[in-house]
Amino acid sequence: MKKTTICNLLLLFVLIPGTLFLGTQLSGRWYYLTSTMMIVEVMIPFFLAFETRRPQARELVTLAVMCALAVASRVVMLIPNFKPMTAIIMITGIALGAQSGFVCGAVGAFASNFFFSQGPWTPWQMMAYGFAGFLAGGLFHKRFPLRNPAALAVWGFFTIVLVIGPLLDSCTVFTVSSRITWKYALAVFTAGFAYNVQHGLACAVTLLLFAKPLLGKLERLKTKYGMMDARQGE
């Protein structure tokens, strides 16, 4: 298994959950420290990549543009509860790889909350949106036959409803109540189900309409400039 793959798995399943747990043990505005630590942590795989190759500036610019697009899709969308940001994050992971998808999700959540306000929910959103990009990249990156827009839309909907939505709702479970019980957790997840369905529909519609053109443009950029090829080690 490649070094960056091992690092990504440790980051996602050990380091970031550990950081979230540590943050909940602190007092005051702990979420600022936790969010900053998570941003540093998600950059670790990029630093390791410099050992084997020299990432081109255009690669980082492309990723930065996708992060900005993800933020804009959440901030400027005027339809209530229709936020296509998660779909943009998934498209980033599919086109640029799991590592890039996670960075786009974590940075997008942190940056967009400067418009929606930072709070204890920020680190949890960074983890959940980052995982959405990581999962999409892990399943569909370099697997061109699986990139049918309709299939991606269905997959995106159920991923939001069954995985990403409950991850976001877990913030309420762990940060609001001083005593966590199964009954309380079930009430939180049940209350959030309707919103998760709306979130999933927004993701599905965005993937259905924009996955093919965005993925096509990103693939052309990669081919033209030789960016993020197999040497990236994702």
Side-chain angles (χ1 to χ4, degrees), residues 54-70:
R54 294 181 179 274
Q56 301 171 345
R58 58 176 65 98
E59 297 178 9
L60 302 180
V61 170
T62 301
L63 180 56
V65 169
M66 294 305 297
C67 290
L69 181 60

Side-chain angles (χ1 to χ4, degrees), residues 95-203:
L96 307 182
Q99 174 184 308
S100 298
F102 191 92
V103 172
C104 182
V107 173
F110 181 72
S112 61
N113 274 354
F114 282 104
F115 298 92
F116 292 98
S117 77
Q118 304 286 351
W121 50 84
T122 299
W124 294 87
Q125 290 176 336
M126 292 172 66
M127 178 186 70
Y129 289 127
F131 184 68
F134 183 89
L135 188 60
L139 292 176
F140 298 106
H141 183 54
K142 297 182 180 179
R143 293 181 174 88
F144 294 94
L146 302 179
R147 294 186 182 183
N148 179 275
L152 289 177
V154 173
W155 175 84
F157 173 79
F158 284 105
T159 299
I160 296 295
V161 173
L162 301 178
V163 182
I164 307 303
L167 273 178
L168 292 168
D169 294 335
S170 64
C171 172
T172 303
V173 175
F174 287 100
T175 62
V176 174
S177 177
S178 58
R179 183 171 179 268
I180 300 174
T181 64
W182 286 109
K183 184 177 180 180
Y184 171 71
L186 181 61
V188 171
F189 291 129
T190 302
F193 180 76
Y195 177 79
N196 292 335
V197 170
Q198 296 177 39
H199 186 183
L201 288 173
C203 179

